[in-house]
Amino acid sequence: MHPAFSVVFFTTATGAGYGLLALLGLLGGLGYIPADFWLGFVGMGLALGLIAAGLLSSTGHLGRPERAWRAFSQWRSSWLSREGVASVATFVPACMFGIGWVFLGRNGGWVAIAGLLAAAGAVTTVCTTGMIYASLKPIAQWHSRYTLPAYLIFAAMTGSVLANALLQGFKLGSTAVLICALLATLIGWGWKLATWRYNDRLEIPTTANTATGLAGGSVRSIEWPHTEENYLLKEMGFRIARKHSAKLRRIAQGLAFIAPAVLLAVAFALPWPFVAIASALAAMSQLAGMLVERWLFFAEAKHTVTLYYGRE
């Protein structure tokens, strides 16, 4: 019983990929980043590679991956379907932007329009991903005002840290991008702390009595509804000890927020290539930390259905 790694990797990789794509589309298309072939090739390759890897990993979470295409038909009512449609649609302007910026070496004009559309598509896709979880009323830890902004903040944070590492590696480091990466990391840390504080104080009014509609006594389960684990118990009924949760929270904070913030702050005073090394280490540490943070996001969530299994 544990959160599926495919979903943990999916949310981490696509968040970073879409964050980087949005920044490249904005800065590259509008000419704030030069149309350098290798910079664009590596940057777009990294962004689209993370997105593609994340999307492919998500299919491993399906019982019948060959039927994944059917999810696209439910876009009127399903945030999961809307995410799929938005993710595929974003590839169109992203590829157009990549062709113009990377291979043709152009800024402005239709390249800028394609870059802006790619950035808008990236933000839209991240929003749909966040709404998949924020819309789930049976999971109180997700159905809150913190979930959707967290997805947007973390995408901006990981995207800006990756963009800074990319620019520093090509000797095109920008103080503005470095400052944005540092500020986004600090904002992400503050938002995560606020989310944990909210969830730790969360009082869920639903009980076995209200879930079953029975009154006049204390309802309790004497046996499970079935004999084997099901999907909800495996992924939304995970029980993690408080001491392990506290330890993993410290690890997530250290890797995803504290270490990158320190490295980025130190980078202001470093010459090249040390500033590039510090920036790259900040990006790698943050991605590793976000894997832990995302694992906790799923592990600490509790689905109301667990009340039917005798859990409070």
Short mmCIF file of all heavy atoms in Angstrom, two decimals, residues 34-38 40-41 95-108 110-111:
data_model
loop_
_atom_site.label_atom_id
_atom_site.label_comp_id
_atom_site.label_asym_id
_atom_site.label_seq_id
_atom_site.Cartn_x
_atom_site.Cartn_y
_atom_site.Cartn_z
N PRO A 34 18.24 35.20 -26.28
CA PRO A 34 18.66 35.15 -27.68
C PRO A 34 18.28 33.82 -28.34
O PRO A 34 18.19 32.78 -27.68
CB PRO A 34 20.18 35.32 -27.61
CG PRO A 34 20.55 34.86 -26.24
CD PRO A 34 19.41 35.28 -25.36
N ALA A 35 18.09 33.87 -29.65
CA ALA A 35 17.74 32.68 -30.41
C ALA A 35 19.00 31.89 -30.74
O ALA A 35 19.40 31.76 -31.90
CB ALA A 35 17.01 33.07 -31.68
N ASP A 36 19.63 31.36 -29.70
CA ASP A 36 20.84 30.54 -29.85
C ASP A 36 20.42 29.09 -30.07
O ASP A 36 19.58 28.55 -29.33
CB ASP A 36 21.72 30.67 -28.61
CG ASP A 36 22.97 29.80 -28.69
OD1 ASP A 36 23.94 30.23 -29.34
OD2 ASP A 36 22.94 28.70 -28.10
N PHE A 37 21.00 28.44 -31.07
CA PHE A 37 20.56 27.08 -31.43
C PHE A 37 20.70 26.11 -30.27
O PHE A 37 19.74 25.42 -29.90
CB PHE A 37 21.34 26.57 -32.64
CG PHE A 37 21.03 25.13 -32.97
CD1 PHE A 37 19.87 24.80 -33.66
CD2 PHE A 37 21.88 24.10 -32.57
CE1 PHE A 37 19.56 23.47 -33.95
CE2 PHE A 37 21.58 22.78 -32.85
CZ PHE A 37 20.42 22.47 -33.54
N TRP A 38 21.89 26.01 -29.69
CA TRP A 38 22.11 25.00 -28.66
C TRP A 38 21.34 25.32 -27.37
O TRP A 38 20.86 24.42 -26.70
CB TRP A 38 23.60 24.83 -28.38
CG TRP A 38 24.30 24.10 -29.48
CD1 TRP A 38 25.20 24.58 -30.36
CD2 TRP A 38 24.10 22.72 -29.82
NE1 TRP A 38 25.59 23.61 -31.25
CE2 TRP A 38 24.93 22.46 -30.95
CE3 TRP A 38 23.30 21.69 -29.32
CZ2 TRP A 38 25.00 21.20 -31.55
CZ3 TRP A 38 23.35 20.44 -29.93
CH2 TRP A 38 24.19 20.21 -31.02
N GLY A 40 18.44 26.88 -27.27
CA GLY A 40 17.06 26.52 -27.56
C GLY A 40 16.86 25.02 -27.68
O GLY A 40 15.86 24.47 -27.21
N PHE A 41 17.83 24.35 -28.30
CA PHE A 41 17.72 22.90 -28.50
C PHE A 41 17.70 22.18 -27.16
O PHE A 41 16.85 21.31 -26.92
CB PHE A 41 18.88 22.41 -29.35
CG PHE A 41 18.80 20.95 -29.71
CD1 PHE A 41 17.98 20.52 -30.74
CD2 PHE A 41 19.54 20.01 -29.01
CE1 PHE A 41 17.89 19.17 -31.06
CE2 PHE A 41 19.47 18.67 -29.33
CZ PHE A 41 18.64 18.24 -30.36
N CYS A 95 5.68 23.23 -30.57
CA CYS A 95 6.51 22.78 -31.70
C CYS A 95 6.74 23.90 -32.70
O CYS A 95 7.85 24.04 -33.25
CB CYS A 95 5.85 21.58 -32.37
SG CYS A 95 5.85 20.07 -31.39
N MET A 96 5.72 24.71 -32.95
CA MET A 96 5.88 25.85 -33.86
C MET A 96 6.91 26.83 -33.31
O MET A 96 7.78 27.33 -34.04
CB MET A 96 4.55 26.55 -34.07
CG MET A 96 3.52 25.74 -34.83
SD MET A 96 1.95 26.62 -35.00
CE MET A 96 2.50 28.08 -35.91
N PHE A 97 6.82 27.10 -32.01
CA PHE A 97 7.79 27.99 -31.37
C PHE A 97 9.19 27.41 -31.45
O PHE A 97 10.16 28.13 -31.73
CB PHE A 97 7.39 28.24 -29.92
CG PHE A 97 8.46 28.91 -29.10
CD1 PHE A 97 8.80 30.23 -29.32
CD2 PHE A 97 9.13 28.21 -28.10
CE1 PHE A 97 9.79 30.85 -28.58
CE2 PHE A 97 10.12 28.81 -27.36
CZ PHE A 97 10.46 30.14 -27.60
N GLY A 98 9.31 26.10 -31.19
CA GLY A 98 10.61 25.45 -31.24
C GLY A 98 11.24 25.54 -32.62
O GLY A 98 12.43 25.78 -32.77
N ILE A 99 10.42 25.34 -33.65
CA ILE A 99 10.93 25.42 -35.03
C ILE A 99 11.44 26.82 -35.33
O ILE A 99 12.54 27.01 -35.88
CB ILE A 99 9.83 25.00 -36.02
CG1 ILE A 99 9.53 23.51 -35.87
CG2 ILE A 99 10.27 25.30 -37.46
CD1 ILE A 99 8.33 23.05 -36.67
N GLY A 100 10.64 27.83 -34.96
CA GLY A 100 11.03 29.20 -35.27
C GLY A 100 12.20 29.69 -34.45
O GLY A 100 13.14 30.30 -34.97
N TRP A 101 12.16 29.41 -33.14
CA TRP A 101 13.19 29.94 -32.23
C TRP A 101 14.49 29.15 -32.32
O TRP A 101 15.57 29.73 -32.35
CB TRP A 101 12.64 29.92 -30.80
CG TRP A 101 13.53 30.59 -29.79
CD1 TRP A 101 14.05 31.84 -29.87
CD2 TRP A 101 13.98 30.04 -28.55
NE1 TRP A 101 14.81 32.11 -28.75
CE2 TRP A 101 14.77 31.03 -27.93
CE3 TRP A 101 13.77 28.82 -27.91
CZ2 TRP A 101 15.37 30.82 -26.68
CZ3 TRP A 101 14.36 28.62 -26.67
CH2 TRP A 101 15.15 29.60 -26.07
N VAL A 102 14.39 27.84 -32.39
CA VAL A 102 15.58 27.00 -32.36
C VAL A 102 16.19 26.83 -33.75
O VAL A 102 17.37 27.10 -33.97
CB VAL A 102 15.25 25.61 -31.75
CG1 VAL A 102 16.50 24.72 -31.76
CG2 VAL A 102 14.73 25.77 -30.33
N PHE A 103 15.37 26.40 -34.70
CA PHE A 103 15.91 26.02 -36.01
C PHE A 103 16.01 27.20 -36.99
O PHE A 103 16.90 27.22 -37.84
CB PHE A 103 15.08 24.90 -36.61
CG PHE A 103 15.16 23.62 -35.83
CD1 PHE A 103 14.13 23.24 -34.98
CD2 PHE A 103 16.27 22.79 -35.92
CE1 PHE A 103 14.20 22.06 -34.25
CE2 PHE A 103 16.35 21.62 -35.19
CZ PHE A 103 15.32 21.25 -34.35
N LEU A 104 15.11 28.15 -36.86
CA LEU A 104 15.18 29.30 -37.74
C LEU A 104 15.87 30.50 -37.11
O LEU A 104 16.16 31.48 -37.79
CB LEU A 104 13.75 29.71 -38.19
CG LEU A 104 12.96 28.64 -38.95
CD1 LEU A 104 11.59 29.18 -39.34
CD2 LEU A 104 13.73 28.14 -40.17
N GLY A 105 16.09 30.42 -35.80
CA GLY A 105 16.80 31.50 -35.09
C GLY A 105 16.06 32.82 -35.10
O GLY A 105 16.67 33.89 -35.23
N ARG A 106 14.74 32.76 -34.91
CA ARG A 106 13.95 33.98 -34.99
C ARG A 106 13.26 34.30 -33.67
O ARG A 106 12.94 33.42 -32.88
CB ARG A 106 12.88 33.84 -36.09
CG ARG A 106 13.45 33.67 -37.49
CD ARG A 106 12.35 33.55 -38.53
NE ARG A 106 11.46 34.73 -38.52
CZ ARG A 106 10.42 34.88 -39.34
NH1 ARG A 106 10.15 33.93 -40.23
NH2 ARG A 106 9.66 35.96 -39.28
N ASN A 107 13.06 35.60 -33.43
CA ASN A 107 12.26 36.12 -32.33
C ASN A 107 11.17 36.99 -32.93
O ASN A 107 11.24 37.40 -34.08
CB ASN A 107 13.10 36.96 -31.37
CG ASN A 107 14.17 36.15 -30.67
OD1 ASN A 107 15.35 36.34 -30.95
ND2 ASN A 107 13.79 35.28 -29.76
N GLY A 108 10.16 37.29 -32.13
CA GLY A 108 9.12 38.20 -32.58
C GLY A 108 8.22 37.59 -33.63
O GLY A 108 8.38 36.44 -34.04
N TRP A 110 5.47 35.77 -35.71
CA TRP A 110 4.71 34.55 -35.45
C TRP A 110 5.38 33.66 -34.43
O TRP A 110 4.71 32.88 -33.74
CB TRP A 110 4.48 33.79 -36.76
CG TRP A 110 5.73 33.23 -37.40
CD1 TRP A 110 6.52 33.84 -38.30
CD2 TRP A 110 6.32 31.94 -37.14
NE1 TRP A 110 7.58 33.03 -38.66
CE2 TRP A 110 7.47 31.85 -37.96
CE3 TRP A 110 5.99 30.87 -36.33
CZ2 TRP A 110 8.30 30.72 -37.96
CZ3 TRP A 110 6.80 29.75 -36.33
CH2 TRP A 110 7.95 29.68 -37.13
N VAL A 111 6.72 33.79 -34.30
CA VAL A 111 7.43 33.01 -33.28
C VAL A 111 7.01 33.46 -31.89
O VAL A 111 6.79 32.64 -30.99
CB VAL A 111 8.95 33.14 -33.46
CG1 VAL A 111 9.69 32.38 -32.35
CG2 VAL A 111 9.37 32.62 -34.82
#
